Amino acid sequence: MNPDRNHERIVWVHGDCLRPGNPALRARPDAPAIFCWDDELLREWKISFKRVLFIYECLLELPVTIRRGDVAGEVAAFADEHGATGVVTTFSPSPRFGLITSEIEKSYPVEVLPEDPFLDYPGEFDLRRFSRFWRQAESYAYRGGGEQLKLW
Amino acid sequence: MPMSVKDMRREFSGREELIEYLREQFPEAEGEEAGATRGGRAAAERALAGVDPRRYASTRNFLDGAVTRLAPSIRHGVLSLAEVRDFVLSRVQRANDASKLILELGWREYWQRLYAQIGEGIWRDRENLKTGFRPVDYSEDLPDDIVEGRTGLACIDAFSRELRQTGYLHNHARMWVAAYVVHWRRVRWQAAARWFLTHLLDGDPASNNLSWQWVASTFSSKPYFFNRENLERFTGGRYCRECPLKGKCDFEGEYDEIAARLFPNAAMESAR
């Protein structure tokens, strides 16, 4: 057994939530965190070099270990290395996120935290057309509530 | 914990060294261009501090308008929509002055919610085409002259080059390119959507594909198209002035004339 059991969970950071204060990093500020380049996705989408560079620059401002390969396998291996009991991450609507999460769950439980909400409304919206959605959603879009960003 | 041999590097003397390292590590990545847009929270906060919601509202459709350039950071969650909204509201006296910008944040929210609902369905036609053509009437492949920027149309070629070199295109330019590819060249929107996802720094499958579908008319009540007068106005004429095809390009004419040329079958149906 790994004697380093201070971190019960590791954080998995993915490309849809690359900010230092994302919900998963916020929930586990001291836990080891990993980002893994998804080799299959890079190939399938033919991601251009400039996109790789942009994302890598984002990663350099995050407290994460950067690896590449099969994402689910690498996240599970990272959890093994740290003797963790589970994985924490932030939600993404991408189907691939769902697939990878299911794959990790074969080895470790995954806690998926919701993204910070834009619309503070618990119900469902009519998504058939944007105009319908916005008629229902617009008033909620003006209700801030988050802590004000300090930029100067 | 010591660094593992599998770990990728995190320390660089500067952007040049980072670029050199990434070229070694990702030799299969498409294209050589690095692009000038910096990634990261610090750069995103600087961009956010420069946002002017009122000027955005009045000038955003012009190529040199006060657009925010926040999209790559929002797409990758470097900034959350809630953070951008809260900041924008703090910059205006009346909430109404921020309404255009908040509407655009609303579009992003809408695409993401729809993505959660339909998943890979974003790659399939949401509805039938309203162009009078069948899906099989459209080419499966994106022609090389569009990708390489040598169609002969100064505007389209410049947009194609800008996309490849910078990973950015103004929203209005995206709409013109999309309409040209889908309606004038009759290419399946999926082929072109993949091209945009390869290059756009803000390339998001949901926002991108559903916007292509909006242009194509598989997610709207009619196809989007434009004429040269519209493009000339919002670009300040910069492409038309130097275009060898000026006065005889594909985009000349009134809207009803162009519709009759592009969608002859649909026009016949509506004439009946």
Side-chain angles (χ1 to χ4, degrees), chain A residues 51 56 67-68 127 129, chain B residues 7 9 25 110 127 197:
Chain A
R51 292 200 69 179
Y56 212 99
R67 291 188 182 162
R68 66 180 295 180
L127 301 179
R129 282 280 194 265
Chain B
D7 294 354
R9 268 178 67 188
Q25 294 292 319
Y110 176 65
E127 300 163 11
L197 282 179

Side-chain angles (χ1 to χ4, degrees), chain A residues 112-144:
Chain A
V112 179
L113 300 176
E115 174 58 292
D116 298 325
F118 176 61
L119 302 170
D120 193 9
Y121 176 75
E124 296 290 315
F125 291 105
D126 181 345
L127 301 179
R128 277 174 290 177
R129 282 280 194 265
F130 177 78
S131 53
R132 287 168 187 259
F133 163 73
W134 197 239
R135 265 200 301 279
Q136 292 178 314
E138 185 173 10
S139 62
Y140 296 96
Y142 286 85
R143 296 180 197 172

Side-chain angles (χ1 to χ4, degrees), chain B residues 225-243:
Chain B
F225 62 99
F226 64 95
N227 68 4
R228 188 174 66 79
E229 198 182 332
N230 169 273
L231 187 142
E232 190 170 26
R233 172 168 177 239
F234 287 101
T235 58
R238 73 181 84 166
Y239 304 108
C240 299
R241 261 196 304 278
E242 61 184 50
C243 185

Side-chain angles (χ1 to χ4, degrees), chain A residues 12 38 40 69-77 79-80 87 89 95-110 112:
Chain A
W12 168 37
D38 187 336
E40 197 180 313
D70 163 58
V71 179
E74 290 295 332
V75 171
D80 289 346
V87 176
T89 192
R96 194 166 179 83
F97 170 81
L99 289 174
I100 293 170
T101 301
S102 305
E103 197 58 33
I104 298 170
E105 279 178 332
K106 290 177 182 169
S107 321
Y108 289 98
V110 181
V112 179

Side-chain angles (χ1 to χ4, degrees), chain B residues 114-182:
Chain B
L114 203 50
Y115 198 22
Q117 192 176 85
I118 67 176
E120 298 294 351
I122 60 164
W123 287 100
R124 294 187 287 275
D125 288 351
R126 296 279 297 150
E127 300 163 11
N128 290 330
L129 290 155
K130 287 90 183 174
T131 56
F133 293 108
R134 300 161 303 163
V136 293
D137 297 326
Y138 293 75
S139 160
E140 291 289 339
D141 300 313
L142 188 61
D144 288 344
D145 65 323
I146 296 175
V147 177
E148 292 163 9
R150 47 179 183 78
T151 65
L153 294 155
C155 53
I156 300 296
D157 291 347
F159 299 144
S160 173
R161 278 194 302 275
E162 187 181 0
L163 174 67
R164 190 170 62 245
Q165 286 166 2
T166 69
Y168 170 77
L169 268 190
H170 186 283
N171 183 62
H172 220 152
R174 297 179 193 203
M175 289 163 62
W176 294 322
V177 170
Y180 171 70
V181 171
V182 174

Side-chain angles (χ1 to χ4, degrees), chain A residues 8-47:
Chain A
E8 292 183 345
R9 299 193 173 196
I10 56 132
V11 174
W12 168 37
V13 173
H14 55 72
D16 293 338
C17 214
L18 298 177
R19 63 180 181 282
N22 84 33
L25 287 170
R26 219 162 55 215
R28 303 275 165 166
D30 300 320
I34 179 172
F35 174 93
C36 181
W37 288 94
D38 187 336
D39 276 345
E40 197 180 313
L41 190 76
L42 289 174
R43 263 196 310 276
E44 193 185 315
W45 288 11
K46 294 189 178 152
I47 294 295

